[in-house]
Amino acid sequence: MKSSSDELRWKRIKEISTLSISKPVSFQTVIEYVEALSTEEQDLLLELISKRRIEQRRQEIAANATQTLKAIKTGKAKHSTLEELRADWTFQTFS
């Protein structure tokens, strides 16, 4: 069972995640904004960034998997052992 502070925390994370920036700001400005946040807000921001990066990586992996499956179906994928891949890489690198 979630406590009321957990529910408020997740509500705040959701609110923060829907914010958008209308114009670019410098990295130093971002740091200053973050430093102006409370410790709890900074923690929420770190958690939000972490979750977004995880989701972005999941999307990259899914896109790579889709591309690989497509290559397999169209016969463009090369099947080989690890040793064959290493030999091929070594040959291409030093050729």
Side-chain angles (χ1 to χ4, degrees):
M1 180 175 198
K2 288 185 177 181
S3 70
S4 107
S5 64
D6 286 342
E7 289 174 11
L8 289 173
R9 184 175 188 199
W10 286 110
K11 181 180 178 187
R12 185 70 178 133
I13 288 173
K14 189 173 181 180
E15 289 171 1
I16 292 170
S17 69
T18 60
L19 296 175
S20 64
I21 297 174
S22 59
K23 63 180 182 175
V25 294
S26 72
F27 188 74
Q28 181 60 39
T29 301
V30 171
I31 297 298
E32 290 169 8
Y33 287 155
V34 170
E35 288 175 344
L37 297 173
S38 69
T39 303
E40 182 179 297
E41 288 172 324
Q42 289 180 23
D43 290 343
L44 289 172
L45 181 60
L46 286 172
E47 189 172 347
L48 175 63
I49 291 169
S50 176
K51 288 181 183 297
R52 284 187 174 191
R53 292 192 62 185
I54 289 167
E55 184 56 33
Q56 287 172 345
R57 184 63 184 132
R58 283 184 182 140
Q59 290 175 2
E60 289 173 10
I61 291 168
N64 289 339
T66 299
Q67 184 179 11
T68 301
L69 290 173
K70 183 178 179 182
I72 290 170
K73 288 179 182 178
T74 60
K76 293 181 181 178
K78 181 178 177 181
H79 296 275
S80 59
T81 65
L82 179 59
E83 290 77 22
E84 292 168 335
L85 289 171
R86 283 186 180 154
D88 187 42
W89 178 81
T90 302
F91 176 75
Q92 289 178 7
T93 302
F94 297 109
S95 295

